[in-house]
Amino acid sequence: MLTETSSGLWCAAGRFHIDPWEPVERAVITHAHGDHARPGSGAYLCATPSTTLLRHRFGPDAVIESVPYGEVLAVGDVRLSFHPAGHVLGSAQIRIESSEGVWVVAGDYKRASDPTCVAFEPMRCDTFITESTFGLPIYRWDPTHTVVDDIAAWWSANREAGRTSVLFCYTIGKAQRLLAELMRVTDRSVYVHGMMLAMIDAYRESGVAMLPVAPVIERARGARSAVRSFAGELVLAPLSARGTPWMRRLGDVSDGFASGLMRVRGVRRQRGFDRGFVLSDHADWPALLQTVTETGATRVLTTHGHAEPLARYLGERGLQSGIIRTAWEGEPSSE
């Protein structure tokens, strides 16, 4: 039902691509991260909650159609529907049904609860295409509340020491999840890099409750206004801001990174962060295996990340398994 092409996954019966990495006539999108939603296609189809994020990314002229979760749409000779993936706001699994059976393309997903998006919904199918960003047994997540408590304690200790807490995280999904999760332990405002404001606003437009934020804006050269002290404050920033002149505004800082990548000590040391917080928007190893079982699929294709070891593990346990390559092999995860 789906074949690999130079532009990505192609459904000939429906005349559409799924998460293409090149401009195509019609793109069906799982979610708004840049390795899944690329600009330039003639038309886009997504789950309704993803519309606001895609509009911010693609601009007012992009042709974006949307369908509520669970609503079945006839597209060519297939029946298509979107179902919650629990990854970020609007993230969706794509279910495709025809006379050949049922396929589900999961996109990126997680099984942990997240106040910023609808929880993952297991879907029965014949063929399941699963991500494998963290498809190794070493990747196992702690409960979210313990990680958030750890972040709050780090922030508190830095405040007592007069330092600024700079927490690096992804602009879509992770920043908003942190702002929502921290509401459980504080009502303090959080400062953010200006690059994050648009997507935070998009989440608020969608009704997601988060801590109040204020931007950290770099002073224009030659400006004589008083320099604001950020000592004791928490600042969220994208990784791209690390080591830039923008950081000079923040004074004495302690920096951290919120990512599943921080599970591996060698990665933490290599990246050189003061703290690594293991908080991921992807499924860990047990959740990947749980999800495969719940789908009831007899064939599982793996993609994104550690695809080969996960496919090999599933094949050894009697499933038909294979690998789908993407244009993003070796790219940093947008997790």
Side-chain angles (χ1 to χ4, degrees), residues 65-329:
E65 305 171 78
S66 67
V67 182
Y69 285 134
E71 183 174 308
V72 179
L73 186 68
V75 183
D77 295 329
V78 303
R79 290 161 56 84
L80 182 150
S81 55
F82 294 93
H83 302 269
H87 177 56
V88 297
L89 178 66
S91 60
Q93 305 170 80
I94 298 171
R95 183 183 186 273
I96 308 168
E97 181 177 1
S98 77
S99 58
E100 299 179 26
V102 176
W103 287 50
V104 169
V105 181
D108 289 339
Y109 64 95
K110 69 171 177 291
R111 303 302 301 268
S113 63
D114 181 341
T116 71
C117 60
V118 182
F120 182 92
E121 177 184 320
M123 302 299 301
R124 302 288 292 185
C125 59
D126 304 304
T127 299
F128 183 54
I129 299 180
T130 180
E131 63 139 308
S132 52
T133 304
F134 292 107
L136 292 174
I138 189 175
Y139 292 114
R140 299 169 188 265
W141 309 147
D142 297 324
T144 302
H145 69 88
T146 64
V147 181
V148 173
D149 287 346
D150 197 18
I151 291 171
W154 168 70
W155 180 10
S156 179
N158 287 333
R159 185 165 61 247
E160 292 178 4
R163 289 190 293 266
T164 305
S165 301
V166 181
L167 185 55
F168 293 101
C169 56
Y170 294 104
T171 301
I172 300 178
K174 189 64 62 62
Q176 295 81 6
R177 185 182 179 193
L178 286 166
L179 291 170
E181 295 282 4
L182 284 167
M183 290 182 68
R184 179 178 57 82
V185 295
T186 185
D187 59 0
R188 289 173 59 90
S189 295
V190 173
Y191 285 89
V192 299
H193 190 283
M195 185 186 297
M196 292 183 158
L197 286 174
M199 289 303 176
I200 290 172
D201 288 344
Y203 267 65
R204 292 198 198 277
E205 289 174 27
S206 299
V208 177
M210 296 173 286
L211 289 175
V213 300
V216 177
I217 301 174
E218 187 173 0
R219 278 193 309 161
R221 182 173 297 180
R224 296 184 179 182
S225 57
V227 176
R228 193 215 184 285
S229 172
F230 293 94
E233 305 291 356
L234 175 64
V235 179
L236 302 185
L239 278 172
S240 59
R242 196 181 191 204
T244 67
W246 176 85
M247 293 285 295
R248 298 172 188 164
R249 294 213 61 191
L250 305 179
D252 183 18
V253 306
S254 174
D255 67 353
F257 183 32
S259 168
L261 296 171
M262 295 294 95
R263 174 57 72 202
V264 180
R265 291 181 181 179
V267 174
R268 294 202 301 268
R269 288 194 298 268
Q270 182 183 24
R271 298 291 183 94
F273 295 105
D274 295 325
R275 289 293 306 271
F277 299 101
V278 185
L279 185 67
S280 177
D281 286 329
H282 292 265
D284 63 2
W285 176 259
L288 289 169
L289 301 185
Q290 173 192 348
T291 302
V292 167
T293 298
E294 290 176 345
T295 67
T298 56
R299 177 170 53 178
V300 180
L301 305 177
T302 61
T303 187
H304 287 279
H306 297 287
E308 292 184 7
L310 179 58
R312 184 169 58 250
Y313 180 91
L314 296 173
E316 290 170 352
R317 278 146 186 81
L319 293 174
Q320 298 179 50
S321 62
I323 299 167
I324 293 177
R325 302 291 181 183
T326 77
W328 311 103
E329 300 299 326

